[in-house]
Amino acid sequence: MKRPELKGRSLLNLKNWTPEEIRFLLQLAAKEKQAAHSGEVRQRFAGKTLALIFEKRSTRTRCAFETAFGEEGGHPVFLSTDDIQLGGKESLEDTARVLGRMFSAIGFRGFRQQTVEVLSGKSGIPVYNALTDAYHPTQALADILTVQEEFGRAEGKTLCFLGDGRNNVVHSLLIICAKLGVHCTVIAPESLRPHPDFLAETAVWAQQSGAKITITGDPAAVRHADAIYTDVWASMGEEAQKAERVRLLSPYQVNDSLLARTENSACIFLHCLPAVKNEEVTESVFEGPSSRVWEQAENRKHTIKAILLATLLDLDVYC
Ligand code: CP
Ligand code: NVA
């Protein structure tokens, strides 16, 4: 395994992570998954602390951080916005500087990408984006690990996302695919597509990796897909737009006939979860033989463990 030095790094949106660094995290996650399945117990985070500041709800991400860190002797501290000053009575910058003096790292889930950037800039410790309105980088790592496990490699495979094509999950998926040479097709109505400036950024990485990035409104573009991916039609914080989204996105539902249009019986179904069944995906696809959603959810923990190991410890402790 090529071993880049990642100690002290933050993971805010994957944009400043090189393909080699991302591949290293994925390899490390696969290795940690194996070790976890073999029952290996270690205490590599003993004496370390992790602040988890969550403005939005979470099952997988919170539990992945808490179990990956806590099982190895680390002490995670969960802080909701009811528990902590976050730009209210105390400025965000001041909170960041206090946390930087007490914790080894910070995980943040919330609304504004700027919040996680400020936490990183001012705390002086590694900060992880556990989802913002703009990005969900830890999810993207688990998504690619799941594709890799299924097909032996992700590079050269084609992943099609259908639904809200400008949400956090799609942004991170496009970044990781563009960097790693995974072809990514986003199938969405015109008003819900990635911003052209963002696409111009991904195009540079795609050119280097050979990834083909396609944005279209036509569900027929799923032909020959290796993986079909969807997410909720209205993300956290967008509940007021739900009715409009149902109207716009119903033609993009992932159902059995959509899956058949891939003309690929080996095609898998992915969803970051939580899912609203019979909206973005039918029960039959979700529970069907193509679904890999539970593997994908489990992989959140192994990929997050890899991020924590790589950014908090010296290379010789975990490699
Ligand atoms: N996929 C994901 O981030 O799930 P949670 O919202 O439950 O953390
Ligand atoms: N796009 C979804 C992802 C949830 C994991 C949201 O932000 O609600």
Side-chain angles (χ1 to χ4, degrees):
M1 195 186 311
K2 207 171 162 211
R3 311 189 323 162
E5 182 53 79
L6 297 170
K7 193 175 174 193
R9 286 279 291 274
S10 287
L11 183 77
L12 304 182
N13 61 18
L14 282 173
K15 284 186 187 182
N16 63 350
W17 283 63
T18 65
E20 292 67 34
E21 290 166 346
I22 297 171
R23 278 193 204 101
F24 172 72
L25 281 185
L26 290 167
Q27 269 179 288
L28 182 58
K31 181 171 151 246
E32 291 301 321
K33 183 173 185 174
Q34 241 176 3
H37 284 196
S38 72
E40 197 174 297
V41 179
R42 300 181 71 180
Q43 293 290 291
R44 291 172 291 181
F45 297 130
K48 300 215 177 285
T49 48
L50 171 67
L52 291 172
I53 306 171
F54 277 46
E55 294 179 327
K56 294 178 177 173
R57 286 173 190 270
S58 168
T59 300
R60 280 144 288 272
T61 313
R62 175 184 175 177
C63 295
F65 270 109
E66 291 213 21
T67 57
F69 195 63
E71 282 170 6
E72 293 240 16
H75 182 59
V77 178
F78 184 78
L79 299 158
S80 78
T81 39
D82 289 338
D83 305 310
I84 189 174
Q85 303 286 357
L86 208 66
K89 194 171 170 193
E90 185 170 57
S91 74
L92 181 61
E93 287 80 358
D94 289 357
T95 303
R97 287 185 288 185
V98 171
L99 297 179
R101 300 260 176 154
M102 297 190 186
F103 287 91
S104 315
I106 300 171
F108 172 79
R109 165 170 289 205
F111 295 91
R112 297 166 69 227
Q113 178 68 14
Q114 206 198 332
T115 308
V116 79
E117 312 260 351
V118 171
L119 286 172
S120 166
K122 293 289 175 187
S123 66
I125 54 177
V127 173
Y128 316 115
N129 178 350
L131 178 149
T132 59
D133 289 346
Y135 303 106
H136 197 4
T138 62
Q139 178 70 50
L141 287 165
D143 301 339
I144 297 300
L145 180 62
T146 311
V147 172
Q148 259 177 220
E149 286 174 345
E150 184 70 26
F151 301 110
R153 65 190 170 92
E155 198 177 341
K157 294 290 165 189
T158 301
L159 211 151
C160 286
F161 181 95
L162 291 99
D164 175 8
R166 28 104 282 160
N167 77 10
N168 40 21
V169 166
V170 179
H171 285 153
S172 291
L173 210 53
L174 280 168
I175 294 171
I176 204 165
C177 287
K179 292 213 171 204
L180 298 187
V182 182
H183 308 309
C184 187
T185 303
V186 176
I187 306 174
E190 221 165 301
S191 59
L192 293 172
R193 294 189 189 165
H195 194 279
D197 292 346
F198 173 74
L199 288 174
E201 269 185 283
T202 60
V204 176
W205 304 314
Q207 201 180 15
Q208 284 161 7
S209 71
K212 205 172 139 212
I213 305 292
T214 310
I215 313 293
T216 173
D218 186 1
V222 298
R223 189 158 176 262
H224 299 330
D226 297 295
I228 298 288
Y229 195 148
T230 191
D231 184 11
V232 289
W233 285 343
S235 287
M236 288 181 275
E238 298 183 334
E239 291 75 11
Q241 291 157 62
K242 182 67 188 276
E244 170 71 353
R245 292 289 171 78
V246 171
R247 190 183 67 74
L248 277 170
L249 291 172
S250 291
Y252 299 90
Q253 184 190 61
V254 178
N255 49 37
D256 287 314
S257 70
L258 189 279
L259 221 52
R261 291 176 84 175
T262 65
E263 296 173 24
N264 176 12
S265 58
C267 179
I268 59 170
F269 170 70
L270 299 174
H271 193 308
C272 55
L273 306 181
V276 184
K277 286 181 223 170
N278 298 322
E279 282 193 6
E280 73 271 10
V281 56
T282 57
E283 179 108 27
S284 123
V285 169
F286 189 86
E287 300 292 350
S290 307
S291 180
R292 296 292 179 273
V293 298
W294 310 123
E295 286 77 7
Q296 194 183 358
E298 180 189 332
N299 286 339
R300 299 298 311 286
K301 177 169 174 173
H302 306 299
T303 43
I304 282 173
K305 166 83 83 77
I307 296 162
L308 291 166
L309 286 169
T311 57
L312 289 177
L313 303 181
D314 290 320
L315 270 164
D316 52 358
V317 178
Y318 63 90
C319 263

